[in-house]
Amino acid sequence: MGSGSGWKGRDVISILDFDRDSLEQLFEVADKFSSLLRERGRIPLLEGYIVALAFFEPSTRTRLSFETAAKRLGADTIGFTSEEAISIAKGETLADTIRMLDSYADMIVLRHRYEGAALYAAEIAEHPVINAGDGKQHHPTQAMLDLYTVRKLFGTIDGLTYGVLGDLRYGRAASSFILALTIYRPRMIYLISPPLLRVRPEVRMVLDERGMRYREVESLEEVLGELDVLYVTRIQRERFPDQREYEKVRGSYRVTLELLEQHARRELRILHPLPRVDEIAPEVDGTPYAAYFEQARNGVPVRMALLALIAGREV
Amino acid sequence: MESGSGLLVRRIREGTVIDHIPAGRALTVLKILGITGREGARIAVVMNVESRKLGRKDIVKIEGRHLSPEEVDKIALVAPRATINIIHDYRVVAKRRVTVPDIVEGILMCPNPSCITRVGREPVKPRFRVVSRQPLVLQCVYCGTLVSEEDVAEQLAEGG
């Protein structure tokens, strides 16, 4: 496996910055790490590297997944997990924090509550910046592992019928997954949400520009029987600027075993970026429909592949 | 240049005539230029006159004033088909169309309150790319928010 000239030193800001070829290369490296991880716990390609995990917003899964990926590659990590822990609480700007981290680390993984924070950080930092989620906009590494999971489950990403359910307006995982699908040729994308939580105009613009076949619907039952992949997202209270809006839509969707048995195709696979609250009933977990735990496991090899390719290391 | 309005306002000796402003936007143009009327300069505003290009249009004449490139860029955002006529000794000595630049930087504020460009002390200038010129649609480079021509005009009318 080559080091990937298109990957070395690059920033990861939006999933739309990537084409099929570079994603395919990432997935092939992730496959290699997946099988290597079964043989041994550590593949020390990044010995001597320091990866900064700058989590200005609390996140357990994404942070632990990046930290595990870095450590399995032999890199050291530095960082923080909330604004309170650092000088931001004392009034330091993001720009200054990034400059500091840039002088300590070889890569910066950034999670921030404001949209555009990752691009802004990348403009400031000389080292690569990896967006681990900014505001409601982008979560490109989540989208990468989502696509990787679909590819592993079905052997392809093209030609399938997708349903994306939940908060399509404020949820960055949902937005990034929808944008990620535009890099491929899905048969159909159903965007399933209450009217209040429909995709934002800029996401719809990309779907239109790229000639995607998609339809916005409110009812899951209406389309469930057609789906190969159902991507479920949580309706997150903290993303709503107006809490009254949240109260109107909370608990709008619940994927139950009964619903699936009545309407879904046997081949349907359900993804969820996790954590979930009550949008998927626990009885679904033990059925072949549930692919979300496998999806979560894929986070480490995909992020290992990402770090190794950006560092220009060969597998 | 002034068909239909030639009888309304007499010619100026020195200054600038901004023609082909979309009907109803003349006051926004004055706001952009910081003209309140109290400066003492002679200003003529003609609104809702017939235009072959636009159907109806506004015209602004400013005596004794020439525009800076930044002012011209701002005018392009609210009047993308405007023409700027430089007047010297009652004659048009230069005439040019405004153009909306591919990147609009530092002129507009992003309407998205959770865009990084809206965070108080961050040294970052709002930056927009042009998605469409006709009608004007801009997109924030940082947060992706789309901004329509009406939003732009409203913002420039408010901010000046």
Side-chain angles (χ1 to χ4, degrees):
Chain A
M1 180 65 56
S3 59
S5 56
W7 278 96
K8 189 176 177 182
R10 84 183 286 182
D11 298 309
V12 178
I13 307 301
S14 158
I15 191 68
L16 292 177
D17 298 339
F18 298 87
D19 59 17
R20 286 176 76 116
D21 287 347
S22 46
L23 290 175
E24 199 51 41
Q25 189 181 8
L26 177 80
F27 299 153
E28 281 168 20
V29 178
D31 278 340
K32 287 213 163 194
F33 281 126
S34 260
S35 58
L36 284 172
L37 281 176
R38 280 193 288 273
E39 295 162 21
R40 48 197 155 118
R42 224 161 150 270
I43 302 128
L45 290 172
L46 296 191
E47 208 80 73
Y49 257 70
I50 294 180
V51 177
L53 302 172
F55 279 68
F56 290 84
E57 195 184 50
S59 152
T60 309
R61 264 153 246 277
T62 305
R63 183 177 60 81
L64 289 180
S65 158
F66 266 111
E67 194 167 347
T68 307
K71 287 184 169 165
R72 290 220 182 268
L73 288 167
D76 291 315
T77 60
I78 57 168
F80 46 83
T81 56
S82 73
E83 285 190 356
E84 285 72 37
I86 53 159
S87 303
I88 290 281
K90 299 174 196 162
E92 184 178 53
T93 60
L94 171 62
D96 284 358
T97 309
I98 293 298
R99 281 186 193 104
M100 179 217 28
L101 292 172
D102 196 34
S103 66
Y104 297 163
D106 303 296
M107 288 180 201
I108 301 167
V109 178
L110 178 82
R111 158 71 64 99
H112 203 279
R113 68 175 190 276
Y114 284 105
E115 286 95 58
L119 175 61
Y120 174 49
E123 288 173 350
I124 294 163
E126 284 180 21
H127 290 106
V129 170
I130 300 172
N131 186 0
D134 58 347
K136 59 182 181 286
Q137 188 190 19
H138 293 303
H139 198 349
T141 67
Q142 177 70 47
M144 286 168 185
L145 75 92
D146 296 340
L147 292 176
Y148 179 70
T149 304
V150 172
R151 180 181 172 274
K152 270 186 106 171
L153 291 168
F154 292 89
T156 178
I157 297 164
D158 296 316
L160 302 174
T161 298
Y162 294 82
V164 189
L165 172 74
D167 181 357
L168 312 186
R169 184 171 172 199
Y170 300 116
R172 59 184 158 216
S175 295
S176 281
F177 183 66
I178 295 163
L179 293 175
L181 290 177
T182 70
I183 301 167
Y184 291 84
R185 302 307 307 169
R187 199 166 79 81
M188 181 72 185
I189 307 170
Y190 288 107
L191 305 173
I192 313 157
S193 73
L196 267 177
L197 299 180
R198 280 189 187 141
V199 290
R200 296 188 306 281
E202 62 265 26
V203 176
R204 200 176 293 118
M205 182 180 81
V206 177
L207 288 165
D208 291 334
E209 275 175 359
R210 298 190 172 196
M212 294 291 120
R213 289 186 65 216
Y214 72 97
R215 191 151 77 82
E216 296 182 278
V217 296
E218 279 183 58
S219 156
L220 172 61
E221 286 89 332
E222 188 191 324
V223 297
L224 187 54
E226 291 181 49
L227 305 180
D228 297 300
V229 176
L230 175 61
Y231 193 97
V232 184
T233 62
R234 185 162 58 101
I235 297 180
Q236 288 174 269
R237 178 195 292 270
E238 63 271 25
R239 300 251 165 261
F240 281 71
D242 182 347
Q243 288 304 302
R244 283 169 304 182
E245 274 191 24
Y246 171 73
E247 293 303 329
K248 281 183 207 162
V249 294
R250 63 184 291 197
S252 320
Y253 296 100
R254 186 167 162 80
V255 179
T256 62
L257 190 54
E258 191 190 357
L259 184 78
L260 292 169
E261 283 171 347
Q262 274 179 13
H263 298 279
R265 298 171 62 227
R266 288 165 61 88
E267 297 78 16
L268 172 77
R269 293 294 174 267
I270 300 173
L271 301 183
H272 190 303
L274 302 179
R276 72 160 152 192
V277 183
D278 53 7
E279 55 278 359
I280 303 176
E283 306 88 79
V284 179
D285 296 357
T287 70
Y289 296 121
Y292 31 92
F293 297 124
E294 184 183 340
Q295 178 191 7
R297 270 197 303 278
N298 289 334
V300 171
V302 168
R303 289 183 171 117
M304 284 174 77
L306 190 71
L307 297 179
L309 283 167
I310 291 171
R313 293 300 161 95
E314 294 195 15
V315 182
Chain B
M1 178 180 78
E2 295 178 41
S3 56
S5 62
L7 296 174
L8 288 173
V9 183
R10 70 187 177 101
R11 304 217 267 177
I12 57 173
R13 183 173 176 192
E14 287 289 331
T16 305
V17 174
I18 308 164
D19 199 358
H20 300 112
I21 300 167
R25 293 259 170 88
L27 298 178
T28 305
V29 169
L30 291 181
K31 185 91 183 181
I32 287 169
L33 298 176
I35 292 169
T36 62
R38 291 190 291 272
E39 293 78 12
R42 206 182 315 199
I43 310 292
V45 178
V46 184
M47 297 177 80
N48 290 312
V49 293
E50 288 75 18
S51 157
R52 265 177 300 169
K53 264 200 228 171
L54 303 179
R56 295 208 160 249
K57 67 175 180 180
D58 291 357
I59 302 164
V60 170
K61 297 183 176 194
I62 311 156
E63 186 101 54
R65 165 106 181 244
H66 296 288
L67 309 186
S68 70
E70 293 76 31
E71 287 171 332
V72 173
D73 280 352
K74 280 190 183 180
I75 289 169
L77 295 175
V78 296
R81 300 176 75 184
T83 42
I84 311 270
N85 302 287
I86 313 297
I87 310 296
H88 179 65
D89 205 13
Y90 296 106
R91 288 191 10 251
V92 177
V93 293
K95 180 173 189 157
R96 63 188 180 99
R97 298 213 28 194
V98 300
T99 50
V100 178
D102 294 333
I103 297 286
V104 177
E105 189 171 296
I107 294 174
L108 299 165
M109 193 175 76
C110 180
N112 170 15
S114 61
C115 175
I116 191 70
T117 60
R118 297 282 299 270
V119 180
R121 295 169 42 252
E122 294 298 339
V124 53
K125 271 188 194 168
R127 198 157 79 229
F128 298 84
R129 71 169 74 86
V130 176
V131 172
S132 153
R133 286 193 153 77
Q134 203 63 257
L136 185 71
V137 181
L138 305 177
Q139 183 169 37
C140 174
V141 167
Y142 290 96
C143 75
T145 298
L146 296 173
V147 188
S148 69
E149 189 170 321
E150 288 69 34
D151 296 337
V152 170
E154 202 173 299
Q155 199 182 120
L156 289 175
E158 280 168 13

